[in-house]
Amino acid sequence: MKWQGRRGSRNIEDRRRSGGGVRGGKAVGGVGGVGLLAIVVIGYFLGIDVTPLLEGAGDISSSSQTVEITQADEQAAQFVSVTLADTEEIWTEVFSEQLGGEYIPPILVLYKGVTQSPCGSASGATGPFYCPGDQKVYLDTAFFTTMSRQLGAGGDFAQAYVVAHEVAHHVQNELGILGQANAYRAKASQAESNAVSVMIELQADCFSGIWAKMADEKFGSVEHGDIREALNAAKQIGDDTLQRNAGRVPQPHTFTHGTAEQRQRWFATGYKTGALDACDTFSADRL
């Protein structure tokens, strides 16, 4: 991905030089060993706050700490800033051309270790996530290392896909989709809530595909092999892949983000069409 020397976003909130604080406590259900590892891995890549399950398994951090910012951290921050700037330009154009509306971009919070959000504590156990409570994306850039080394989803475009996916949740929020879907989930059964969650996530993957298509057309930033990196990342963070890698038999009724095949296919749909209408997972005959 061609990103060096390009414009970065001003919508970055950098919290990396101070810890946000997470208190330790009694472990819920005595989680530990392989079970603890499974929770960390699954939580990390699904954007789920699992810190309550990790309490008592060792301090995640002190209530306040100073962290070291390495050269790798700075480069990752610059990369995220450029990617975020790309999403801003692209979604401004999409909203204008396809909706006749205005796009208001999110703030992206960079942190290292832990921080706080209206959606709960953010730590290495949560992975990147979007919080509609303050309309911010939260990202610990150390996630990129874990993503590459532990799940085999390496490459800068795979990292950009992760950023684009979380921004896509903000797009859903701007369109009113996220609020309506979450209101329904709050009243639905667990199975119904999970099914709607899958629709939300697959639509975000499709929106990420739109971003990739337009990034290629608008900036010429997509290089040979980049789309393959994004599709591989989508595969590695499919619910079925994650559950298998955690030593479990995949259980479709527990899926909240979609299978590897679904995530790849919906990303490809957005990339091929570039159209918001093509990403309507909520009325699709086939997810």
Side-chain angles (χ1 to χ4, degrees):
M1 178 179 172
K2 300 175 183 177
W3 67 271
Q4 288 92 345
R6 295 177 51 221
R7 182 184 74 87
S9 173
R10 294 182 178 180
N11 292 313
I12 298 284
E13 181 181 331
D14 194 342
R15 300 183 187 175
R16 292 175 297 161
R17 286 172 173 80
S18 62
V22 176
R23 292 183 179 180
K26 185 177 180 180
V28 178
V31 177
V34 176
L36 175 61
L37 177 61
I39 288 172
V40 171
V41 171
I42 291 173
Y44 216 132
F45 291 90
L46 296 188
I48 300 169
D49 186 359
V50 298
T51 46
L53 297 180
L54 300 179
E55 290 176 354
D59 288 339
I60 298 173
S61 79
S62 61
S63 59
S64 180
Q65 63 177 6
T66 300
V67 296
E68 178 187 2
I69 306 301
T70 66
Q71 184 176 352
D73 290 328
E74 291 294 8
Q75 182 171 9
Q78 292 171 14
F79 172 79
V80 168
S81 180
V82 171
T83 302
L84 184 64
D86 286 357
T87 68
E88 292 163 358
E89 290 192 43
I90 287 169
W91 285 113
T92 294
E93 186 173 317
V94 170
F95 270 54
S96 176
E97 294 184 354
Q98 297 190 29
L99 300 172
E102 180 185 2
Y103 174 65
I104 301 174
I107 300 294
L108 190 148
V109 177
L110 284 176
Y111 69 95
K112 187 171 182 179
V114 294
T115 194
Q116 301 295 323
S117 84
C119 295
S121 299
S123 74
T126 62
F129 67 94
Y130 173 71
C131 180
D134 59 4
Q135 300 184 39
K136 294 180 180 180
V137 173
Y138 288 79
L139 173 68
D140 182 341
T141 52
F143 168 81
F144 294 150
T145 301
T146 305
M147 184 177 172
S148 176
R149 293 180 181 175
Q150 296 187 9
L151 285 196
D156 52 9
F157 203 78
Q159 298 169 4
Y161 155 69
V162 169
V163 175
H165 178 91
E166 299 310 326
V167 170
H169 285 312
H170 177 71
V171 172
Q172 291 173 313
N173 199 43
E174 286 283 285
L175 296 174
I177 296 170
L178 196 59
Q180 292 179 29
N182 284 334
Y184 174 83
R185 291 180 63 208
K187 301 176 183 178
S189 67
Q190 187 63 56
E192 292 172 329
S193 176
N194 287 349
V196 172
S197 178
V198 169
M199 295 176 192
I200 293 172
E201 297 300 331
L202 294 180
Q203 184 178 63
D205 282 329
C206 190
F207 286 174
S208 300
I210 293 177
W211 160 80
K213 175 182 176 64
M214 295 192 66
D216 190 12
E217 295 174 352
K218 190 175 181 69
F219 309 114
S221 58
V222 178
E223 299 179 297
H224 179 71
D226 279 350
I227 300 303
R228 188 161 56 247
E229 286 181 6
L231 289 172
N232 177 60
K235 174 184 177 181
Q236 299 301 338
I237 57 178
D239 284 327
D240 52 341
T241 303
L242 286 170
Q243 290 187 3
R244 287 193 192 95
N245 290 344
R248 299 167 54 192
V249 175
Q251 301 179 41
H253 69 282
T254 67
F255 292 173
T256 57
H257 281 55
T259 66
E261 186 276 332
Q262 288 173 324
R263 300 199 70 167
Q264 288 181 311
R265 177 161 44 82
W266 280 102
F267 176 89
T269 296
Y271 183 72
K272 290 175 182 177
T273 66
L276 287 170
D277 290 346
C279 296
D280 185 5
T281 55
F282 296 91
S283 57
D285 292 333
R286 176 195 175 206
L287 280 181

